[in-house]
Amino acid sequence: MPYIRHESLFSLQDLYDLDREHRFELIFATIDLAPILRIVNKKSRLGAPVETNYSAMVYSLIAGIIERIPTIKDLLKRLREDVLFRFDCGFSLAESIPSASTYSRLIQKLSQSDALEEVSQNVVKHAFEEGFILDDTVAIDATHIEARDRAPKKQEQEKKPTVPKKRGRKPKQEREAWLLQKQQEEQQKSIYEKKIADQLDVPYKTLREQMPIAPEWGVKCNSEGKNLNWYGFKGHLVGAAQSQYILGALLSSGSMNDGKAAIPLLKGLYAQFPTYRFRYATMDARYDYEPIYEEVRKWNAHAITAYNRRREPEMEGFDEHFAPTCVREYSYCYDSYDSKYETLKYVRPKECESCPLAHDSLCQKVYKMKVTTDLRKYVAPARGSASWKQIAKRRSAVERVNAYLKEFFQVNNVRHRTGAKARLHFILATLVYNSMKLVVDRVNKQQKAQAA
């Protein structure tokens, strides 16, 4: 039976137009690849010409996140078999698709530089300039990310013979040598092995460079009160609570305390967007450390953080939210905050209206409390008030962003073995998220303008 070749009803361009909307084109338009091309292109005109299309390779990595293509192998297969996808990424029919090793070398170069972070910051700057980020509240949270490799087996350490300690006080010379040894050990520690308070005077660049990124075991208490263990990393985000843009992102080892990433995130926010000001920073109880309150205070902002009681006794004359109580143990109501004197004003509770001690000297009409008395206990608005609860609910925005990154942007699909490349994958996912968010805001703005 002879084979009859049918003519195509549409041209290739018509099929391209009918197949899909130009979503890749809109997303790629928000991304300036100049910082990346400065890293990968030739530094000199001498030598053999570079035939690799680096722009198309980076666009294909971004498209792979959007299309949820899990591996480089699957991405190359899609580029070879799908002509439209190939054109979308910037490859032409005349040039060959780069090999997997070429992609590996590109990822290696990018993981050793800050170019991708600079590209991501530029996307957020466009959102600021176009008026899409007007939030007065930022939210900070962390999420666990499992590594590709299995955890190494624990090596059994040889038990050292225990030397019985001498009882009593150490001699003066012995004590001085011991104190000197402790001081030297403390100086040799990295900034993340020290206390959180030591981060306050360290610049953002140093904090970012010294952050541990090797995969390690991590533990976290889930919503059911059970410990969740994983081997891998932690992704730390600071996001705009209303517009839900990612303003800062850091990757760390899974064993690092969440609270040790808050100050680097806030310092990075100021370093990258120095003109941006927020009023509130909302976090959960894992970030309840006084140095974090001090860092937020530098911004002339207030930390709305859940209180984490650490075996602290109850304060006499105060309720669970540290509001003063009357003689009959009714809590005073939060009234207002005086920013000039940094004081919280509490007024009589409603129960005092019918109280026989209302006009007695024991019952005080107004209480004023300075927030500097204890930054953890006294914040503005006051803990337990309706305003405080309303602002604290905005923290759920960054939790939703974490869920989006895992569900739709492959954050939970790290295919790299080193921490530097895993961090690159994490930053790439946040870049794609912010780019798609910017495109959606632009389209919505355009549609509103056309409807008006």
Side-chain angles (χ1 to χ4, degrees):
M1 181 178 178
Y3 177 78
I4 302 174
R5 182 176 183 275
H6 295 278
E7 294 293 328
S8 177
L9 183 63
F10 301 103
S11 66
L12 183 62
Q13 184 63 38
D14 292 332
L15 285 173
Y16 178 77
D17 294 337
L18 292 174
D19 181 70
R20 72 179 83 200
E21 297 180 359
H22 296 285
R23 57 174 180 164
F24 286 149
E25 183 180 346
L26 293 174
I27 293 171
F28 294 160
T30 65
I31 301 172
D32 180 16
L33 297 183
I36 295 177
L37 297 180
R38 285 198 298 266
I39 299 297
V40 298
N41 282 341
K42 285 182 60 178
K43 302 294 186 294
S44 172
R45 61 183 178 83
L46 302 177
V50 177
E51 298 179 355
T52 307
N53 190 345
Y54 285 115
S55 299
M57 289 178 66
V58 176
Y59 283 141
S60 65
L61 291 175
I62 294 171
I65 296 289
I66 300 170
E67 295 291 305
R68 304 179 201 175
I69 302 174
T71 63
I72 296 296
K73 182 179 178 181
D74 294 328
L75 178 62
L76 295 176
K77 183 179 178 182
R78 177 76 178 272
L79 287 169
R80 294 189 187 101
E81 296 179 355
D82 191 341
V83 178
L84 299 180
F85 182 76
R86 182 174 180 168
F87 283 160
D88 287 336
C89 296
F91 291 106
S92 64
L93 288 174
E95 59 185 330
S96 59
I97 300 300
S99 62
S101 58
T102 306
Y103 272 91
S104 179
R105 287 192 293 270
L106 172 64
I107 292 171
Q108 179 69 19
K109 285 183 179 180
L110 294 179
S111 65
Q112 295 173 351
S113 69
D114 300 334
L116 197 64
E117 290 189 11
E118 186 178 347
V119 173
S120 183
Q121 293 168 19
N122 291 335
V123 173
V124 180
K125 287 178 181 177
H126 288 316
F128 273 114
E129 292 169 359
E130 297 177 29
F132 296 130
I133 303 178
L134 301 172
D135 305 61
D136 65 344
T137 306
V138 296
I140 297 176
D141 196 21
T143 184
H144 70 279
I145 302 172
E146 294 185 6
R148 174 180 171 82
D149 289 346
R150 292 182 180 178
K153 293 183 179 179
K154 292 184 179 179
Q155 297 179 355
E156 295 184 0
Q157 297 180 353
E158 297 181 359
K159 293 184 178 179
K160 297 180 180 180
T162 56
V163 179
K165 294 183 178 180
K166 295 181 180 179
R167 298 183 64 182
R169 190 173 181 180
K170 293 181 180 181
K172 185 176 180 181
Q173 293 180 352
E174 215 176 295
R175 178 173 173 78
E176 291 178 354
W178 178 77
L179 290 174
L180 181 62
Q181 181 184 358
K182 288 292 182 182
Q183 186 178 1
Q184 291 175 352
E185 290 177 356
E186 189 69 21
Q187 291 175 352
Q188 291 175 357
K189 289 181 179 179
S190 68
I191 189 64
Y192 289 98
E193 293 175 335
K194 299 178 181 179
K195 296 180 180 179
I196 297 179
D198 295 327
Q199 297 179 354
L200 290 172
D201 299 327
V202 181
Y204 167 69
K205 187 176 180 181
T206 305
L207 291 173
R208 181 190 172 278
E209 291 174 352
Q210 293 189 11
M211 179 166 285
I213 55 176
E216 292 180 1
W217 278 104
V219 60
K220 178 181 178 181
C221 186
N222 60 13
S223 58
E224 298 177 357
K226 298 179 181 180
N227 286 338
L228 174 67
N229 297 290
W230 78 96
Y231 179 74
F233 313 95
K234 276 185 182 179
H236 306 272
L237 296 180
V238 53
Q242 185 175 358
S243 60
Q244 296 187 18
Y245 279 89
I246 298 173
L247 304 179
L250 292 171
L251 188 80
S252 72
S253 299
S255 61
M256 197 182 83
N257 183 5
D258 293 354
K260 291 187 176 181
I263 293 178
L265 285 171
L266 292 169
K267 286 180 177 289
L269 194 60
Y270 180 76
Q272 296 161 9
F273 314 107
T275 59
Y276 175 59
R277 291 293 179 269
F278 58 88
R279 293 184 61 190
Y280 307 106
T282 175
M283 295 161 271
D284 61 19
R286 291 173 293 176
Y287 299 90
D288 183 34
Y289 295 95
E290 189 166 347
I292 299 177
Y293 290 88
E294 294 179 12
E295 182 64 29
V296 175
R297 184 178 166 83
K298 291 179 182 178
W299 291 70
N300 294 324
H302 305 281
I304 307 300
T305 307
Y307 195 80
N308 185 11
R309 295 187 178 274
R310 302 184 180 94
R311 298 179 182 178
E312 301 171 10
E314 294 184 2
M315 295 176 61
E316 294 184 3
F318 297 87
D319 65 3
E320 58 180 348
H321 300 298
F322 311 107
T325 57
C326 65
V327 178
R328 298 178 66 185
E329 297 187 354
Y330 289 113
S331 299
Y332 277 68
C333 300
Y334 169 70
D335 180 73
S336 60
Y337 172 70
D338 188 346
S339 58
K340 182 178 180 181
Y341 298 101
E342 297 183 328
T343 56
L344 303 172
K345 180 181 177 182
Y346 295 91
V347 296
R348 277 179 174 177
K350 294 181 180 179
E351 290 80 4
C352 288
E353 295 177 359
S354 57
C355 179
L357 300 174
H359 302 288
D360 194 274
S361 59
L362 294 175
C363 187
Q364 191 170 331
K365 292 183 179 181
V366 176
Y367 265 100
K368 291 187 178 181
M369 187 71 65
K370 289 187 72 68
V371 295
T372 53
T373 304
D374 193 325
L375 295 177
R376 288 180 61 217
K377 295 175 181 177
Y378 300 106
V379 297
R383 292 184 180 275
S385 62
S387 302
W388 188 93
K389 293 178 181 178
Q390 185 178 5
I391 298 170
K393 288 180 181 178
R394 300 175 189 172
R395 189 181 61 84
S396 61
V398 72
E399 293 178 343
R400 285 195 295 273
V401 172
N402 278 327
Y404 294 153
L405 290 175
K406 286 187 173 182
E407 188 71 21
F408 304 110
F409 297 91
Q410 301 190 50
V411 163
N412 228 8
N413 184 33
V414 176
R415 294 280 174 167
H416 306 291
R417 296 187 176 183
T418 62
K421 291 184 178 180
R423 179 171 60 188
L424 178 74
H425 176 84
F426 182 64
I427 299 299
L428 182 63
T430 59
L431 166 64
V432 176
Y433 171 86
N434 280 333
S435 300
M436 294 184 71
K437 192 80 177 63
L438 181 58
V439 169
V440 171
D441 287 342
R442 284 176 175 176
V443 171
N444 289 338
K445 183 179 181 180
Q446 186 178 3
Q447 289 178 350
K448 289 179 181 178
Q450 291 175 354

